[in-house]
């Protein structure tokens, strides 16, 4: 192994891309995909505005808002964990665990919301809106579960004393993905519950 | 290792040949691209098969023929994954089994198109059922493909070499492809709309994404062969 492989040259502070560049291939691609999702929704909504308005009114905005707060706070904790790692603060790991707990809370709230909706007879094929509601939030939920896995992997990178082994890239990349999950939810919340 | 890298190159290019055959079979010949709408009544479906009999039968041959050609391509991917994983390679084995299951369905789809077009005097519903099976065989494999992509992505990203065998962006691209193929899981639930088997999100997005994945895999693999990634430590 040559010297450069052991001590990679420090990237310039200006123009630093958080995480490794490849993460952004995934995030960019995912944003393109969801952009297509949202355009499909917009087109479908224009065709039946009255039905979409009526079905939308059945959703529980309170639970949607609660989930938004859970994810926003969780994102904040991840950002603080990253800052803690950068100044070699041992609180990074508990902050990440907190973020995971809030993310798990999101999953539980979503499960309660789904079962309440199904109990009311609002199911997958009830109408065109319900298809979008279940499929979009379901695909987003898969993102949340993957994100929780990524955060769990990031947590496992710390030793018992709470110091990070290996590079900061894992926390940066995982954090970037978690912010993506958050961002997508905010758009979904606005689109499905509010607009 | 000149001979070995030639074999790898041929296996990789088999993928391009298979993809081309599949596309020719399903699009200009069988005219099943985009798929017939799932909401189409059985009588109309049967009439479509009767009217395009020769095209569908020859298309069926190309589709069925493309299926085995995907296997050398999968073997070339597996050779790279094995190189990354080393002696104990559970994910490479998983990849191979999932790929085998996923690409056999291409052969079966060709077979069912053939059966549906073979006897035009069959009742409408019989032809329509065969047609349904053929389309499910095309779209439902998004599920094994999802797992396959995730496995591939994890192996590529797990590469600890200073110069990775396959580029790391390819690992992320595999994860992305996997996520976008997911809506194919639910095609059985819908007959119209974006998540039906001819819909934007269950058909067009996965089809385009699969094509991008396929071409980038070939480019990245040819690149890795060119710089002898398999022979380096």
């Amino acid at each position: 192994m040559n010297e450069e492989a052991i001590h990679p040259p420090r990237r310039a502070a200006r123009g630093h891309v958080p995480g490794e560049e490849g993460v952004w291939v995934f995030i960019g691609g995912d944003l393109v995909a969801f952009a297509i999702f949202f355009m499909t929704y917009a087109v479908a909504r224009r065709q039946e505005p009255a039905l979409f308005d009526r079905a939308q009114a059945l959703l529980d905005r309170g639970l949607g808002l609660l989930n938004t707060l859970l994810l926003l706070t969780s994102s904040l904790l991840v950002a603080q964990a990253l800052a803690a790692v950068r100044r070699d603060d041992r609180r990074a790991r508990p902050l990440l665990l907190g973020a995971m707990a809030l993310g798990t809370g999101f999953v539980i709230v979503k499960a309660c919301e789904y079962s309440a909706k199904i109990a009311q007879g609002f199911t997958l094929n009830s109408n065109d809106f319900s298809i979008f509601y279940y499929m979009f939030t379901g695909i987003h939920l898969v993102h949340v579960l993957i994100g929780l896995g990524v955060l769990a992997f990031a947590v496992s990178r710390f030793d018992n004393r709470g110091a990070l082994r290996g590079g900061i890239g894992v926390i940066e990349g995982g954090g970037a993905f978690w912010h993506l999950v958050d961002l997508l939810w905010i758009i979904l919340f606005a689109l499905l519950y509010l607009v | 290792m000149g001979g070995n890298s030639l074999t790898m190159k041929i296996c990789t290019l088999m993928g391009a040949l298979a993809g081309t055959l599949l596309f020719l079979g399903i699009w200009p010949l069988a005219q099943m691209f985009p798929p017939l709408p799932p909401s189409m009544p059985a009588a109309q479906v049967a009439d479509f098969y009767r009217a395009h009999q020769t095209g569908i039968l020859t298309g069926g041959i190309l589709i069925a023929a493309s299926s085995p050609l995907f296997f050398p391509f999968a073997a070339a991917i597996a050779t790279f994954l094995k190189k990354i994983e080393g002696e104990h390679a559970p994910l490479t084995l998983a990849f191979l089994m999932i790929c085998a299951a996923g690409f056999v369905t291409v052969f079966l789809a060709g077979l069912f198109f053939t059966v549906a077009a073979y006897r035009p005097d069959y009742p409408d519903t019989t032809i329509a059922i065969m047609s349904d099976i053929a389309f499910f065989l095309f779209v439902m494999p998004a599920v094994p493909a999802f797992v396959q992509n995730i496995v591939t992505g994890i192996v590529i990203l797990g590469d600890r070499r200073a110069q990775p065998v396959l580029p790391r962006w390819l690992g992320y691209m595999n994860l992305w492809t996997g996520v976008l193929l997911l809506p194919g899981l639910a095609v059985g639930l819908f007959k119209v709309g974006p998540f039906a088997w001819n819909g934007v999100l269950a058909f067009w997005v996965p089809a385009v994404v699969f094509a991008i994945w396929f071409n980038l895999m070939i480019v990245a693999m040819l690149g890795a062969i060119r710089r002898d990634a398999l022979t380096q430590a």
Side-chain angles (χ1 to χ4, degrees):
Chain A
M1 226 189 235
N2 60 24
E3 178 69 15
E4 196 173 282
I6 302 164
H7 302 289
R10 282 187 71 84
R11 278 175 286 187
R14 207 153 46 111
H16 166 70
V17 179
E20 57 175 305
E21 286 78 356
V23 174
W24 297 93
V25 174
F26 180 81
I27 290 177
D30 218 37
L31 282 173
V32 170
F34 270 88
I36 298 170
F37 283 14
F38 298 147
M39 280 188 270
T40 319
Y41 176 82
V43 171
R45 191 194 160 92
R46 276 181 68 118
Q47 284 162 358
E48 302 170 280
L51 182 145
F52 273 64
D53 283 345
R54 250 182 296 124
Q56 216 166 16
L58 297 175
L59 295 187
D60 193 329
R61 286 186 179 178
L63 287 181
L65 185 64
L66 173 61
N67 260 346
T68 309
L69 292 176
L70 283 173
L71 274 195
L72 275 174
T73 319
S74 181
S75 246
L76 179 67
L77 291 190
V78 169
Q80 285 184 334
L82 183 58
V85 169
R86 286 204 175 117
R87 57 170 193 267
D88 208 20
D89 185 332
R90 294 296 146 89
R91 274 174 297 184
R93 189 170 59 165
L95 282 168
L96 283 176
L97 286 170
M100 284 182 68
L102 291 170
T104 311
F106 177 94
V107 176
I108 295 169
V109 170
K110 204 80 219 142
C112 294
E113 198 184 340
Y114 279 157
S115 48
K117 283 281 148 287
I118 292 167
Q120 289 166 17
F122 184 86
T123 57
L124 181 63
N125 265 323
S126 290
N127 53 50
D128 281 356
F129 176 79
S130 69
I131 293 175
F132 282 108
Y133 167 73
Y134 281 105
M135 292 300 288
F136 284 180
T137 55
I139 293 169
H140 178 263
L141 196 58
V142 173
H143 279 69
V144 174
L145 294 174
I146 294 172
L148 286 174
V150 170
L151 289 183
F153 179 73
V155 167
S156 76
R157 298 292 92 190
F158 291 86
D159 65 18
N160 287 333
R161 293 177 299 111
L164 181 66
R165 295 169 296 172
I168 196 173
V170 174
I171 315 289
E172 285 183 343
F177 181 73
W178 194 243
H179 297 322
L180 167 78
V181 171
D182 189 9
L183 172 69
L184 289 175
W185 173 256
I186 292 171
I187 303 173
L188 273 179
F189 174 60
L191 207 61
L192 294 175
Y193 292 73
L194 302 180
V195 178
Chain B
M1 288 227 347
N4 197 348
S5 87
L6 179 66
T7 317
M8 281 296 287
K9 216 178 274 179
I10 292 173
C11 285
T12 305
L13 290 173
M14 279 296 166
L17 179 62
T20 311
L21 283 182
L22 176 64
F23 197 63
L24 286 178
I26 197 164
W27 182 46
L29 285 171
Q31 297 187 23
M32 297 294 181
F33 188 93
L36 301 180
S39 54
M40 198 186 235
Q44 276 183 43
V45 173
D47 284 343
F48 184 88
Y49 277 83
R50 291 179 188 121
H52 298 88
Q53 193 195 17
T54 313
I56 293 168
L57 289 176
T58 41
I61 296 171
L62 289 200
I63 294 167
S66 75
S67 163
L69 295 180
F70 279 108
F71 287 82
F73 175 65
I77 300 176
T79 308
F80 282 117
L81 300 187
K82 174 79 175 67
K83 169 77 181 173
I84 297 170
E85 275 202 291
E87 190 191 350
H88 303 288
L91 292 178
T92 304
L93 293 174
F95 168 87
L96 276 175
M97 287 185 278
I98 300 161
C99 257
F103 280 118
V104 161
T105 60
V106 174
F107 182 87
L108 293 174
L111 184 91
F112 276 97
F113 279 133
T114 305
V115 176
Y118 189 56
R119 297 184 200 276
D121 52 329
Y122 268 179
D124 292 349
T125 45
T126 310
I127 295 177
I129 290 170
M130 295 301 152
S131 176
D132 280 355
I133 297 176
F135 282 119
F136 277 122
L137 281 167
F138 254 115
V139 187
M140 286 281 276
V143 184
F146 164 74
V147 182
Q148 181 267 109
N149 277 303
I150 300 296
V151 168
T152 310
I154 289 173
V155 174
I156 294 177
L157 293 177
D159 197 344
R160 301 249 166 264
R161 292 170 181 80
Q163 161 81 340
V165 175
L166 289 172
R168 291 181 68 80
W169 63 260
L170 193 68
Y172 285 107
M173 220 252 334
N174 268 281
L175 297 181
W176 173 66
T177 307
V179 170
L180 283 190
L181 293 180
L182 260 186
L185 181 77
V187 283
L189 292 167
F190 308 106
K191 292 195 180 58
V192 289
F195 295 102
W197 78 45
N198 68 339
V200 178
L201 302 182
F203 178 74
W204 287 105
V205 170
V208 171
V209 164
F210 181 77
I212 295 174
W213 170 83
F214 199 63
N215 285 297
L216 288 182
M217 281 301 281
I218 291 175
V219 169
M221 285 161 71
L222 289 177
I225 294 168
R226 210 173 303 121
R227 58 182 164 72
D228 264 335
L230 285 173
T231 55
Q232 283 152 17

